[in-house]
């Protein structure tokens, strides 16, 4: 039997989502670009899904572009805006253009600066690293002991060259939620585009992009009970960006490649359910998480809860078991059918301590004693009681060894 407490790594597809997808995996297999009947119905299904995704975050459906997941959405957002900026400065710095002849200093500013944080997901950090090799200048903001960025430091980091700020909505390891509305306000005031990686936040926090002032947002299907390999990028209507995938004209020329029809339909359904269930979902996973933390704190000495308790994803518990090797504990728990994570799923096979835990000030020893438990809609209190009991047993065993 599996006891799954790793809902930030991925989630189980909901039966309603699978049901909605099934026709598009079987008889409704048309290519959405085809003009005949099953092609047209495929296109219509994508349009309906687009509406549902837009409805979850309160944007226009034409502001949603389907992608192959969170990583692709992040790459599209950053590279899409960066390459558009580069195209502009290449034109401006071409000596033959009239703009330079006019000696208009404002136009001479090379907009090549991006601000992000040290605790972003690798999808953002590695994209930034690759942009650094292409004449872009990146500032990686520090975070405090809870993983929060400092708004004053963000403001101080802004230069005339800054064209993009990308700060994650909520962190995948420690669950800390960043001050998104304030960041968006500052970015708007300085005329800078604001992108947020909301892969972990979506479905766990109500998000209204218009109210929050977000310009671009990445989301991924498999974190909200849709399949893996499908995601979306929201881009505010009047923002121009380049397609980084080259090929066909799908997604209004912004994402080449035949659409993942069934995946998109599944994502649409998952977004619809996330909107309907949001209140229940938050109450349920927060209840389980709070009970877990309360019991673990009572029953196990020498633990440290990482991340902000005030500004935190409802289902996230990130705990350092001081003096215990987290990989050993994870494997002991695995023997009992328990799934949890020693770092984010993407780097849990790496020997180096997590960059997020390092950024919040944990030394390597402490970082390597840390496990993440993330609760989901399908978890029950009985399962959480089993988890607590098994952690107690395994922790005692490992302490003796
Ligand atoms: N961004 C964050 C914050 C994530 O947690 C993840 C996945 O864990 C991603 C991006 C990548 O999403 P995907 O797995 O859909 O590529």
């Amino acid at each position: 039997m599996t006891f799954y407490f790793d809902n930030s790594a991925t989630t189980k597809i909901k039966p309603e989502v699978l049901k909605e997808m099934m026709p598009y995996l079987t008889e409704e297999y048309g290519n959405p670009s085809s003009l005949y009947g099953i092609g047209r119905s495929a296109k219509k299904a994508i349009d309906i899904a687009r509406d549902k995704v837009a409805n979850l975050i309160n944007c226009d459906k034409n502001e949603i572009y389907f992608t192959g997941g969170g990583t692709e959405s992040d790459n599209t957002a950053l590279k899409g805006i960066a390459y558009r900026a580069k195209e502009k400065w290449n034109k401006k710095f071409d000596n033959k253009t009239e703009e330079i002849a006019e000696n208009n200093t404002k136009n001479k500013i090379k907009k090549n600066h991006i601000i992000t944080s040290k605790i972003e997901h690798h999808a953002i950090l590695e994209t930034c690293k690759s942009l650094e090799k292409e004449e872009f200048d990146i500032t990686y903001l520090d975070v405090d002991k809870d993983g929060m960025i400092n708004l004053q430091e963000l403001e101080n980091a802004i230069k005339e060259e800054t064209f993009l700020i990308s700060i994650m909505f909520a962190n995948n390891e420690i669950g800390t939620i960043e001050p998104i509305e304030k960041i968006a306000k500052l970015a708007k005031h300085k005329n800078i585009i604001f992108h947020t990686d909301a892969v972990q936040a979506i479905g766990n926090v109500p998000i209204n992009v218009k109210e929050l002032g977000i310009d671009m947002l990445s989301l991924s299907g498999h974190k909200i009970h849709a399949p893996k390999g499908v995601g979306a990028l929201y881009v505010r209507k009047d923002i121009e960006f380049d397609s980084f995938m080259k090929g066909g004209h799908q997604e209004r020329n912004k994402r080449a490649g035949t659409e993942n029809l069934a995946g998109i339909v599944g994502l649409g359904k998952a977004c619809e359910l996330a909107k309907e269930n949001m209140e229940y979902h938050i109450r349920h996973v927060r209840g389980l998480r709070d009970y877990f933390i309360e019991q673990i704190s009572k029953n196990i000495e020498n633990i440290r809860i990482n991340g902000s308790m005030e500004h935190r994803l409802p289902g996230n518990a990130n705990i350092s078991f001081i003096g215990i090797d987290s990989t050993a504990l994870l494997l002991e728990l695995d023997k009992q059918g328990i799934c949890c994570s020693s770092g984010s799923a993407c780097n849990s096979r790496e020997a180096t301590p997590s960059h997020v835990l390092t950024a919040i000030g944990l030394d390597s020893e402490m970082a390597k004693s840390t496990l993440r438990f993330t609760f989901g809609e399908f978890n029950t209190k009985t399962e959480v009681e089993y988890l607590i009991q098994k952690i107690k047993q395994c922790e005692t065993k490992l302490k003796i060894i």
Side-chain angles (χ1 to χ4, degrees), residues 102-285:
E102 280 170 18
N103 202 14
N104 180 341
T105 36
K106 192 159 170 263
N107 279 337
K108 277 186 181 175
I109 294 162
K110 187 171 172 176
K111 294 273 186 186
N112 71 338
H113 181 232
I114 300 174
I115 303 175
T116 187
S117 83
K118 286 189 179 164
I119 62 163
E120 298 296 311
H121 188 270
H122 288 296
I124 294 288
L125 293 177
E126 294 298 318
T127 305
C128 285
K129 269 196 218 160
S130 84
L131 288 171
E132 274 178 309
K133 291 185 193 137
E134 299 182 59
E135 294 180 72
F136 290 95
D137 172 22
I138 319 277
T139 298
Y140 300 89
L141 294 176
D142 284 318
V143 291
D144 68 13
K145 64 174 191 5
D146 287 335
M148 300 285 279
I149 67 145
N150 180 307
L151 288 164
Q152 191 55 55
E153 278 173 28
L154 170 62
E155 188 164 359
N156 296 345
I158 294 173
K159 312 181 198 181
E160 275 195 302
E161 292 83 358
T162 313
F163 66 94
L164 179 65
I165 295 173
S166 180
I167 301 288
M168 68 199 323
F169 205 114
N171 185 268
N172 43 305
E173 293 191 40
I174 54 176
T176 298
I177 298 174
E178 299 296 338
I180 294 302
E181 193 168 4
K182 290 182 180 150
I183 300 169
K185 207 167 169 188
L186 178 60
K188 188 170 182 207
H189 178 64
K190 301 275 183 181
N191 211 9
I192 297 166
I193 294 171
F194 173 48
H195 165 258
T196 188
D197 174 345
V199 167
Q200 291 293 339
I202 206 83
N204 285 309
V205 183
I207 299 180
N208 182 328
V209 289
K210 301 297 171 195
E211 265 177 36
L212 292 170
I214 296 166
D215 296 320
M216 303 177 92
L217 176 146
S218 302
L219 63 93
S220 173
H222 71 112
K223 312 290 184 178
I224 55 164
H225 305 282
K228 296 162 186 63
V230 64
L233 177 67
Y234 150 76
V235 184
R236 185 163 54 77
K237 284 207 215 11
D238 48 339
I239 293 178
E240 291 178 357
F241 70 106
D242 280 351
S243 160
F244 102 96
M245 300 274 279
K246 302 295 173 203
H249 302 295
Q250 292 88 351
E251 292 299 285
R252 289 151 285 145
N253 281 328
K254 297 300 187 195
R255 199 279 185 173
T258 303
E259 299 88 340
N260 174 0
L261 174 60
I264 290 172
V265 169
L267 175 60
K269 184 66 186 175
C271 287
E272 183 182 69
L273 294 173
K275 179 142 189 167
E276 279 169 23
N277 289 344
M278 183 82 68
E279 246 177 71
Y280 164 76
H281 171 88
I282 293 175
R283 206 175 342 110
H284 179 68
V285 297

Side-chain angles (χ1 to χ4, degrees), residues 21 41 85 94 110 115 118 121 138 145 198 211 236 308 324 338 344 380 386:
M21 290 169 64
S41 63
D94 174 353
K110 187 171 172 176
I115 303 175
K118 286 189 179 164
H121 188 270
I138 319 277
K145 64 174 191 5
E211 265 177 36
R236 185 163 54 77
S308 165
I324 301 279
I338 291 170
S344 69
T380 62
Y386 176 80

